C-alpha cells in the first residue's frame, strides 16, 4: 500500500468541517449500532474535508472505535446471557481484524471491491426474508454442534477480516449470519454484532495508529459523534418494531450493494 507522505487535507479544517464530522459521526453511530453501516456516513465525510482515500480509510477506522464503545455500552441488556459465546468468539474477531488491517497495509483494494457488492446483496436479502419460527428446541448431537460452531467461527473470521480491511457494511453481513445461523432476535443479534465488530475494528485501529497515516484532528469530532449516535442506536433497536426495522436494514443493504456494484463494475 502506498502511504502518503503528508496525511493532512489540502486545506486546514474549518468550523464547518468539524461540524460536518460531528453530524456524520452521529449518523454513522446510529446506523452502525443498528445496522452496521457506520462507514457509509463517516468515510465520505472524511473525503469531503479533503483527506486522500487511504488516509480517510484508516482515520475512519480509528474514529469508529468510539462507535464500538457506545454500541456495546447501549447493548448491555441484550448482552446478558451471551457471556460464554462472546468469550469464545472474541479471539476469532481479534485475529480477523488484525488480518484485515495487514491486508489493507499490504495489498490493493480491487479484490474486495469486486466481491463485496455480491456478499452484501446476499446478506441483505437474507435479512429481508422472514425467518421460520423455531417450534421445538432439540439437543443436537456432538458432531452437528461442532460443525455448526466451526462454520459460525469461520464465517465470523471472514467477516471480521473484511471489517478490519475496510468495514463498510460488514455489520450487515454479520447481522444476517447471526439472525440466520443462531436464531437470535434482532436486538440480541445486533448486540452480538456490536461486540464482534467493536473488537475487530479496535484491533485494526491499533495497527493503523502505529503504521498508517491517521489524521488525528478529524478523529476527535468524528469519534465524538460516533459515541453519541452509537449509544442511542441500541435503544432504537430495543423499542422499535422488529419487522419494519429488519426490512429497513435489509433495504438499506440492498441499496448500498447496488451503489458499490456500480462503483466496482
Amino acid at each position: 500500500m502506498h502511504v502518503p507522505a503528508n496525511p493532512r487535507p489540502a486545506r486546514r479544517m474549518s468550523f464547518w468541517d468539524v461540524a460536518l464530522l460531528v453530524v456524520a459521526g452521529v449518523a454513522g453511530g446510529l446506523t452502525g449500532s443498528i445496522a452496521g453501516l457506520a462507514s457509509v456516513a463517516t468515510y465520505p465525510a472524511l473525503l469531503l474535508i479533503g483527506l486522500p482515500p487511504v488516509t480517510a480509510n484508516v482515520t475512519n477506522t480509528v474514529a469508529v472505535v468510539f462507535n464500538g464503545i457506545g454500541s456495546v455500552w447501549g447493548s448491555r441488556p441484550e448482552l446478558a446471557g451471551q457471556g460464554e459465546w462472546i468469550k469464545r468468539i472474541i479471539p476469532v474477531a481479534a485475529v480477523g481484524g488484525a488480518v484485515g488491517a495487514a491486508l489493507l497495509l499490504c495489498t490493493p483494494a480491487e479484490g474486495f471491491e469486486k466481491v463485496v457488492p455480491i456478499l452484501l446483496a446476499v446478506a441483505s436479502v437474507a435479512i429481508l426474508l422472514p425467518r421460520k419460527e423455531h417450534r421445538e428446541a432439540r439437543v443436537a448431537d456432538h458432531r452437528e454442534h461442532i460443525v455448526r460452531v466451526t462454520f459460525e467461527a469461520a464465517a465470523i473470521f471472514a467477516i471480521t477480516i473484511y471489517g478490519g480491511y475496510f468495514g463498510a457494511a460488514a455489520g450487515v453481513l454479520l447481522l444476517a449470519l447471526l439472525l440466520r445461523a443462531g436464531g437470535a432476535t434482532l436486538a440480541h443479534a445486533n448486540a452480538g454484532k456490536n461486540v464482534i465488530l467493536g473488537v475487530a475494528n479496535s484491533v485494526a485501529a491499533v495497527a493503523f495508529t502505529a503504521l498508517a497515516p491517521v489524521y488525528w484532528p478529524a478523529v476527535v469530532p468524528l469519534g465524538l459523534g460516533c459515541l453519541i449516535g452509537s449509544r442511542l442506536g441500541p435503544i432504537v433497536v430495543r423499542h422499535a418494531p422488529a419487522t419494519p426495522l429488519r426490512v429497513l436494514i435489509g433495504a438499506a443493504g440492498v441499496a448500498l450493494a447496488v451503489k458499490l456494484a456500480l462503483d466496482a463494475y
Side-chain angles (χ1 to χ4, degrees):
M1 179 189 76
H2 172 68
V3 177
N6 184 4
R8 297 182 179 181
R11 55 181 173 77
R12 293 188 65 180
M13 282 174 49
S14 67
F15 168 81
W16 296 110
D17 291 331
V18 173
L20 170 66
L21 292 177
V22 172
V23 172
V26 173
L30 274 169
T31 57
S33 59
I34 294 172
L37 294 170
S39 294
V40 175
T42 55
Y43 178 70
L46 292 167
L47 296 177
L48 284 175
I49 68 168
L51 292 181
V54 171
T55 303
N57 193 1
V58 297
T59 301
N60 181 67
T61 298
V62 174
V64 171
V65 167
F66 292 94
N67 183 74
I69 294 171
S71 59
V72 172
W73 180 17
S75 298
R76 286 176 298 169
E78 288 76 24
L79 290 173
Q82 298 194 58
E84 289 302 317
W85 176 79
I86 288 172
K87 289 178 184 177
R88 186 175 71 244
I89 215 67
I90 277 179
V92 175
V95 175
V99 172
L103 284 174
L104 178 64
L105 294 171
C106 301
T107 62
E110 285 77 7
F112 272 105
E113 289 176 353
K114 298 290 184 182
V115 72
V116 165
I118 299 171
L119 294 175
L120 178 56
V122 171
S124 301
V125 171
I127 290 174
L128 285 169
L129 292 175
R131 294 185 301 155
K132 294 181 179 179
E133 296 294 333
H134 295 274
R135 295 179 182 174
E136 290 184 10
R138 65 183 185 85
V139 179
D141 61 37
H142 181 68
R143 179 178 296 179
E144 181 181 344
H145 174 73
I146 293 297
V147 169
R148 185 181 65 79
V149 170
T150 302
F151 168 79
E152 180 185 67
I156 289 174
F157 181 63
I159 293 170
T160 53
I161 288 176
Y162 170 64
Y165 184 87
F166 181 64
V172 176
L173 302 176
L174 190 54
L175 192 58
L177 172 69
L178 297 180
L179 283 171
R180 289 288 162 181
T185 66
L186 178 61
H188 285 81
N190 185 66
K193 176 263 297 178
N194 289 337
V195 173
I196 293 169
L197 288 188
V199 169
N201 190 78
S202 296
V203 171
V206 169
F208 293 156
T209 297
L211 301 172
V214 177
Y215 185 58
W216 291 102
V219 170
V220 176
L222 190 61
L224 176 62
C226 283
L227 183 63
I228 295 170
S230 62
R231 178 63 181 85
L232 299 175
I235 299 174
V236 174
V237 175
R238 188 174 305 131
H239 296 290
T243 298
L245 186 59
R246 178 172 53 80
V247 170
L248 181 61
I249 294 169
V254 170
L256 180 58
V258 171
K259 181 194 180 298
L260 293 176
L262 291 174
D263 292 342
Y265 296 98

